[in-house]
């Protein structure tokens, strides 16, 4: 069985909750940090978790295995203004191979695309 370190994805803004390794796939369940304030009224400390769902996103392959990121998308309700919101996803850093040095270098930031 292959063991991969949790930081293999280089997701500094996300917490990796779990990993599942299958024959042709790697699944990572990740969660973004909780927002500090309401996106509508900017009041801090009045947020309550409202609901959650796992949304699957495909990323580039690692070790010839398809990668699925299961992002825990949470909704929050603000007790101050009563609005519900789902925080925007933090962009995920892309890495590309520098052919001259043979090393992976950070590319421009991107959001992974939802699978069809």
């Amino acid at each position: 069985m292959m063991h991969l370190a949790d930081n293999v994805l280089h997701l500094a803004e996300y917490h990796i909750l779990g990993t599942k390794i299958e024959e042709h796939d790697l699944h990572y369940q990740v969660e973004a940090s909780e927002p500090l304030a309401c996106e509508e009224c900017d009041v801090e400390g009045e947020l309550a978790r409202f609901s959650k769902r796992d949304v699957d996103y495909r990323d580039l392959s690692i070790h010839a295995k398809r990668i699925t990121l299961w992002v825990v998308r949470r909704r929050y309700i603000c007790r101050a203004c009563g609005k519900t919101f789902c925080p925007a996803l933090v962009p995920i850093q892309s890495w590309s191979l520098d052919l001259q040095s043979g090393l992976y270098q950070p590319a421009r930031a991107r959001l992974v695309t939802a699978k069809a």
Side-chain angles (χ1 to χ4, degrees):
M1 176 185 259
M2 180 174 38
H3 174 70
L4 295 174
D6 284 345
N7 65 358
V8 71
L9 298 176
H10 302 283
L11 298 176
E13 296 87 3
Y14 290 87
H15 305 287
I16 298 178
L17 303 175
T19 303
K20 182 178 179 185
I21 300 173
E22 296 178 346
E23 184 178 354
H24 300 290
D25 298 290
L26 291 172
H27 299 275
Y28 290 92
Q29 185 179 30
V30 298
E31 182 177 42
S33 300
E34 292 191 13
L36 299 175
C38 175
E39 292 181 352
E40 184 71 25
C41 66
D42 291 327
V43 173
E44 294 182 15
E46 290 296 319
L47 298 179
R49 291 180 179 173
F50 186 67
S51 65
K52 74 173 183 174
R53 67 184 176 121
D54 289 348
V55 180
D56 56 328
Y57 295 90
R58 296 286 182 176
D59 202 0
L60 299 175
S61 296
I62 297 176
H63 301 291
K65 292 182 182 277
R66 295 177 298 236
I67 302 300
T68 304
L69 300 177
W70 293 91
V71 180
V72 178
R73 298 295 315 263
R74 291 195 183 272
R75 289 185 53 176
Y76 295 89
I77 187 165
C78 178
R79 291 185 219 120
C81 68
K83 299 289 183 179
T84 60
F85 66 95
C86 185
L89 289 177
V90 178
I92 295 174
Q93 180 70 45
S94 177
W95 294 80
S96 61
L97 180 63
D98 181 358
L99 295 177
Q100 289 185 349
S101 68
L103 300 174
Y104 281 93
Q105 303 290 332
R108 60 184 173 84
R110 67 176 166 79
L111 281 174
V112 292
T113 56
K115 77 171 190 173

